[in-house]
Amino acid sequence: MHIPAVYDVNLSIVSPELALGLVGVLVLILDLFLRDEEARWLVVPSIAGVVLSGVYAAGLWGQAATAFHGAVVVDPFSLGFDFLFLTVILLTLLLSLRLPKLSSGHFALLLWAGTGMMLLAAASSLMTLFLGVELLSISLYLLVALAPGNAAAGEAALKYFILGAFATGFLLLGIAFLYGSTGAVTLFGIQKALSGGALNLPHAFTFLKVGLALFLVGLGFKLALVPFQVWVPDVYQGAPTPITAFMSVGTKAAAFAALLRSLYGIIPPGGWIPALTVLAVATLLVGSLLILRQTNLKRLLAYSGIVNAGYLLVALVSFGLVPAAYYLAAYTFMNLGAFAGIAALSKDAEEGAELPAYRGLAYRRPWLGASLAFLFLSLASIPPTGGFTGKFLILLSAVASNHAYLAVILVAATAISLFAYLRVVVALFTPAEEAGLAPRPLPAGAVVVVGIGVLGVLATGILPHLFLIPISSMTHLFTISPVP
Amino acid sequence: MNTNLTYYLVLGICLFAVGTAGVLVRKNPLVMFMSVELMWNAVNLIFLAFSRYLADAAGQVFVFLVITVAAAEVATGLGIIVVVFRRRRSLDADRLSALKE
Amino acid sequence: MILFGILALLALVFAVFMVATRNAVHSALFLIGNFVILAILYITLGAEFLGLAQILVYAGAVMVLFLFVIAYLSAGTEASETGPALAWQLPLGIAAGVLSLGLLLWGTLGAVLTPTAAPPHFGSLAFLGRALFTTYLFPFEITAFLLLAALVGVVVLVRDER
Amino acid sequence: MLQHSWVILLLPLVGTAVISILGRYLSKLATSLVACGVVGLAFLGTVAAAVQLEGLPPRLQAVQEVLFRWIVSGPLHISFGLLVDPISLLFMLVITGVGFLIHVYSVGYMGEDKNFRLYFAYLNLFIFTMLLLVMANNFLWLLVGWGGVGLASYLLIGFWYERPSAVAAAIKAFVMNVIGDVGIFLAIFLIYLSFHSVSYNRVFHLAYTHPAAAGVMTAITLLLLLGAVAKSAQLPLHTWLFDAMEGPTPVSALIHAATMVTAGVYLVARCYPLYHLSPTGATAVAVVGGASALLAATIGTAQTDIKRALAASTMSQIGYMIMAVGLGMYAAGLFHFLTHAFFKALLFMAAGNIIHALGGEQDLRKMGGLAKRLPVTYWSFLAGTLAISGIPGFSGFFSKDELLGQTLNRGHVVLWAVGVAAAFLTAFYMFRMFFLAFSGSYRGEVHPHGEAPRVMLVPTVILAVLAVVGGYLVLPGVWDLIGNFLAPAFSHWHGGAGAVGNPHHVNWLSMGISVLLALAGFGVAYQVYHRRAWQPAPWPFLSQLLYRKYYFDELYDAVFVRPAVRLGAVFGAVADRLVIDGGVMGLARGVRTLGNGLVFLQSGYVRRYALTIALGAAAILAYYVFWA
């Protein structure tokens, strides 16, 4: 069939997203033929979908092109993030088996949320960005809520939903003003307008500033930057643990990718570096001060996610693309591993995240206890873990770009939050009388994820160049591809 | 219609601000949600004003997408509200604060 | 101009009443009123189809859904005394609204945006349709996934909770 | 062996892995064999490497072996490799050699413990991380080892986790060490920024060819000193060492006497080119060392717990070493490290024998008259006491004399005086301990068992022999084997001149005075504690001051903890929740109070959250509208 150029259709460019989304539909249809208790078998086609999407993404490796009139782009940057998301989805799928009751639709929603993440990394138009945010968010609202009889999950879902929709309002208004000042919704169009003197009109410049401010608010919410982080602890604590794990890494990485692509090379650095620097400082300090008092592990990891958003932001303002991507990779392993540990140990993946319950675990379940301790040491950035290496790289990039004070604050935040993580490690090695929290047999899926997390943290810590080679090629080719 | 489109902008901003305040001062989650809807619609108005000013289709398409997404959001949000509040007497967002420091 | 003034005033009044009234049903009705006015304003901006869609989707479907849920949860009135009081929330909320209003208006007020000559059929169904199915085909297709996700999720959510 | 030094490094790790993976299938005997075997093999490998290295021309006595590239990204190029040179070899010999003896000793000491295998897994892990620390060829992997020994030490201090005091001590040690780690991390960071490398070779080379600003060098050396101070329990981060005595006694012998706590000495010696470039840093090192030596010696005179008294002694002796390396007398400092490893490990083992015999009793006041019941221990402890007190003919005499003599030769009269005063106190408190434990009549309640099993006695005796003869490696005026061995390591870069003293330049004055004072210390202790001719502790205030270790814990409480708490109260926090305990743990707690002040952000109410978001958005908007 001949497609006229006016359509600019190139499905191969979106094949990874399409594959994942359509397998989601397929899983939904298969769901109709299964009884409720058989629903967990849908993990198999879901994993197949992830693999298929990965195969498509691998097939695209090395390309840099746009399609659909600049709505989406494929380049090593988007593909690299695709691989990250697919890893996250895969691990979450395994972890989901731990849920007491798997609602039908769970797997499909997970795959669609993943599609939304991939769209965010590939979005080269504010429309795609908006839709990616919404596809991801709506799926997540529902995934958080899909925990029958769990009041905490309900509360978390409602808070997440209302605040999410509220923040999206700001994002939308920001996009509207960006559109009003530049007359474009594609990133390329915006860049062209900004470099082509579209801002000569005084109001256009004001609109741009307002638009940028609100745009940062909207994405700052998803990234959990202070002061838009307020929802994070409650939602992470209340949501089913596998979903929390998924959110903590996936949403953050996706929002980060989208933010990065919309700023680098599009908006002059002077327009966003000061604001994001202040946000980075606030995020690092508030996050690390509040993490100290946490006794619920999920909540603790929520604050950890906030501090980590601060690290990512430091990398962003110091143009440390490689460090940021590297850190995200390491963070994926340590965070998902830690959440998997929590999910493995709690009775039904909903409860049992309180610290005292973990006392003496290292004696009762030495392997699991030691693994958890190791993952938390990585979060605490003790060498030679991936958490250390990643932070080291970010620190270097911060200093190299003359943000020495940011580096100092980063170190301070790390030192402060260290104690929070160490408390967990200490608890694991503190003897306890009652033997709580050690189900036998341990759930296989969660244990596998813990294992992958530990191996990943080790690999990112000891053999960083294994990851740095693909990552640097991914960032070398990061371009804003023009509309054909 | 040769109006200065700034008036539309101003109206949109006012409605947005009213919506913002609505989310903050009301505690019925349904009304909070309605206020969010008001915010989104205010943005739509602004989009259309810009679209008209630029004589560009993108703004209109965006509004179309926002309306669609809003419909999906409403379905989701109302579903969640129904599930959360089905067994409660009063619809009060302040009562939902078991998760906190 | 006068038409705009009246409509704008009405829209604002409806919006403020929506927020201010204690009765959720009234709120919903005020919001419907606001949406209808907005639809008219859309049309004055040349977005005929969107104006119609606004009435059909928002005033017609979405708000009916709202009313239905209000009735279902029998959440007509908001009991102001229930629940713990949040200190300073009301004045702070209003202040935040006013603050964002002022900040957004700053600089916007001075702008003079005169509409450029619009292409023929600007805002018509055909115009929008062509845009949607050519340049903006991809975003349009994504909405399909989005609606599907919301639909499926809500059905499962409400069913499982029973 | 020299080309395959990674085998030495990995052997203990293999031991850890085998014991922790196969632990439940291994008998106690098999566990002991594996744990001691890997360390023994590592020792043999180290000896072989040392022999090989000695055969090389001095110029080539620094063998590097790159194991793998760690980060290679753009300009960033960090690989992991091993460096075997005389400095690292000396440490490796002690770590594996003394480590082996202590492993064997532990088989007896920990024989009845229910977590016998876990203990050896930890102990092997410690040996691995300690070897990593001294064998790494760059700063970053030094830090990995540095953190690793801290972790192993933490695990072993808190090994008897049923005791709350042990867990608290472990945490305190870890926290204080983390402060040091942060110091080293920042130092490495500055080093990287200044020289774009973290490898010793390159950094030391560039430090001369492309010198950094003097201020930067001072900062680097002071930050490294911070790390050294924390790890080596020097002023002012020394308080953890006393509490660390909660760990099993062999652990105290190995980690908190012979090896880990001397890592600070290693660090300064290793970085001698940097300290040469920063006289301020070097002076700071020497002053900290001297002050710690004297202060700890006074603390040692008032301790009633035998292990805590020995801990004070360790701090004091390491103070000597730190002072020596700070003054550029590297060979003397490292020589003292060697003899100290012998006699202090010996003393701890002997103390362990006593504790073993008394069923866990550590209070000196409840000992006495043990000479007849524990003859081997008695003679061993005596050997150790004579050695540490600097009685001529025993190892400590040679190393301490070398150290003090050189100090005086170089004209550091004050530090020399401090060192000599500490030597007097050392002799006093060591003989005090000796007499309290072994002379007079038994004052305890429990009926003492007899001598410890042979598996514990044999290592004790071997160390006793070493403590006696170890000093003859350096015979004043005749030969200087240690200096000859180490000299090549200090010839690679600038700053090594004077590291090795002139063996023919003996300062008889210093030697005479310190021997006289050592004998005086013995005499006073003899009068007070053996003959009971004088009444002990005539000044209650002073003895209390010393017993409380100059109130450092209390001081930290007042300086760091309480102001932080007050600051936190300003932030509207709940100060009464803060139970105040001593030490740096309180600092963390103070910071946490600050965090409590931010709790208002997380009220749990959606509307409040929305308000926060709206205000945040307004702030960003305001910034953009008015200032951008």
Side-chain angles (χ1 to χ4, degrees), chain D residues 54 472-475 478-487 503:
Chain D
E54 278 300 283
Y472 291 95
L473 290 166
V474 179
L475 201 57
V478 185
W479 65 61
D480 184 358
L481 297 181
I482 289 288
N484 293 341
F485 178 69
L486 289 173

Side-chain angles (χ1 to χ4, degrees), chain D residues 37 60 108 176 272 399 431 520:
Chain D
L60 298 179
M176 281 195 158
Y272 72 88
S399 57
F431 279 103

Side-chain angles (χ1 to χ4, degrees), chain D residues 68-248:
Chain D
F68 60 85
R69 292 179 301 165
W70 187 56
I71 291 185
V72 182
S73 162
L76 197 58
H77 198 292
I78 302 174
S79 53
F80 170 59
L82 299 178
L83 167 65
V84 178
D85 73 346
I87 304 179
S88 47
L89 258 180
L90 184 69
F91 275 85
M92 287 159 66
L93 282 169
V94 169
I95 294 162
T96 53
V98 177
F100 173 70
L101 293 176
I102 292 173
H103 270 72
V104 173
Y105 180 87
S106 297
V107 172
Y109 195 86
M110 302 300 286
E112 305 303 314
D113 201 280
K114 64 177 166 34
N115 289 322
F116 185 80
R117 292 171 190 84
L118 189 65
Y119 174 83
F120 278 103
Y122 287 167
L123 213 57
N124 273 350
L125 178 71
F126 168 76
I127 297 281
F128 164 71
T129 50
M130 190 69 205
L131 285 174
L132 182 63
L133 193 162
V134 298
M135 291 173 81
N137 75 341
N138 68 47
F139 283 99
L140 207 62
W141 284 87
L142 168 108
L143 179 63
V144 174
W146 197 269
V149 291
L151 187 69
S153 154
Y154 164 82
L155 292 171
L156 284 164
I157 294 172
F159 185 75
W160 285 322
Y161 50 78
E162 290 91 350
R163 297 187 195 164
S165 58
V167 174
I171 294 171
K172 185 173 182 177
F174 196 86
V175 168
M176 281 195 158
N177 275 297
V178 164
I179 293 177
D181 294 357
V182 171
I184 295 207
F185 180 78
L186 293 176
I188 294 175
F189 208 67
L190 281 178
I191 287 172
Y192 183 83
L193 290 179
S194 311
F195 307 115
H196 299 287
S197 175
V198 291
S199 108
Y200 295 148
N201 260 341
R202 206 155 163 68
V203 170
F204 296 157
H205 176 70
L206 288 176
Y208 272 87
T209 52
H210 299 82
V216 174
M217 288 310 292
T218 307
I220 289 173
T221 49
L222 288 181
L223 285 168
L224 287 175
L225 175 62
L226 178 64
V229 158
K231 194 64 78 195
S232 293
Q234 299 292 290
L235 280 173
L237 293 177
H238 60 280
T239 57
W240 66 268
L241 183 62
F242 296 93
D243 296 1
M245 297 297 128
E246 292 285 346

Side-chain angles (χ1 to χ4, degrees), chain D residues 106 121 129 247 272 292 317 517 528 532 552 581:
Chain D
S106 297
T129 50
Y272 72 88
S292 301
Q317 298 299 313
L517 282 175
V528 176
R532 310 250 158 210
F552 263 99
D581 71 344

Side-chain angles (χ1 to χ4, degrees), chain A residues 148-368:
Chain A
N150 182 339
E155 178 180 336
L158 190 76
K159 282 179 173 173
Y160 188 24
F161 169 73
I162 288 189
L163 294 171
F166 184 62
T168 306
F170 287 98
L171 177 69
L172 268 178
L173 189 61
I175 291 175
F177 273 101
L178 288 177
Y179 169 62
S181 71
T182 60
V185 286
T186 59
L187 296 180
F188 180 68
I190 292 174
Q191 185 208 32
K192 208 167 68 173
L194 291 184
S195 55
L199 298 182
N200 289 340
L201 297 169
H203 70 260
F205 189 53
T206 312
F207 289 171
L208 177 73
K209 291 194 292 187
V210 170
L212 199 54
L214 294 170
F215 184 75
L216 293 183
V217 172
L219 284 185
F221 178 86
K222 297 287 168 213
L223 255 175
L225 304 179
V226 172
F228 314 114
Q229 92 296 1
V230 276
W231 59 279
V232 173
D234 295 5
V235 175
Y236 279 25
Q237 186 184 348
T241 308
I243 303 305
T244 313
F246 182 66
M247 269 198 283
S248 70
V249 183
T251 313
K252 193 158 296 153
F256 182 75
L259 185 65
L260 208 150
R261 199 192 278 282
S262 347
L263 294 179
Y264 278 20
I266 311 279
I267 316 277
W272 48 269
I273 283 188
L276 285 185
T277 307
V278 174
L279 286 182
V281 172
T283 306
L284 284 171
L285 290 184
V286 172
S288 59
L289 283 175
L290 275 171
I291 196 177
L292 281 178
R293 58 195 312 282
Q294 303 311 323
T295 53
N296 181 299
L297 253 63
K298 279 165 83 179
R299 213 172 164 82
L300 188 144
L301 285 175
Y303 283 104
S304 158
I306 295 170
V307 183
N308 282 298
Y311 296 142
L312 286 177
L313 218 50
V314 171
L316 181 74
V317 297
S318 46
F319 292 92
L321 248 170
V322 176
Y326 186 84
Y327 191 69
L328 272 173
Y331 182 65
T332 303
F333 289 119
M334 58 194 180
N335 222 33
L336 277 170
F339 274 118
I342 297 173
L345 288 167
S346 47
K347 210 175 285 165
D348 54 2
E350 313 290 318
E351 54 176 42
E354 289 294 330
L355 190 56
Y358 288 81
R359 284 212 192 112
L361 190 74
Y363 306 109
R364 292 195 300 277
R365 311 300 310 239
W367 280 101
L368 192 60

Side-chain angles (χ1 to χ4, degrees), chain A residues 449-462:
Chain A
V449 178
V450 172
I452 294 174
V454 168
L455 291 179
V457 166
L458 259 182
T460 47
I462 293 177

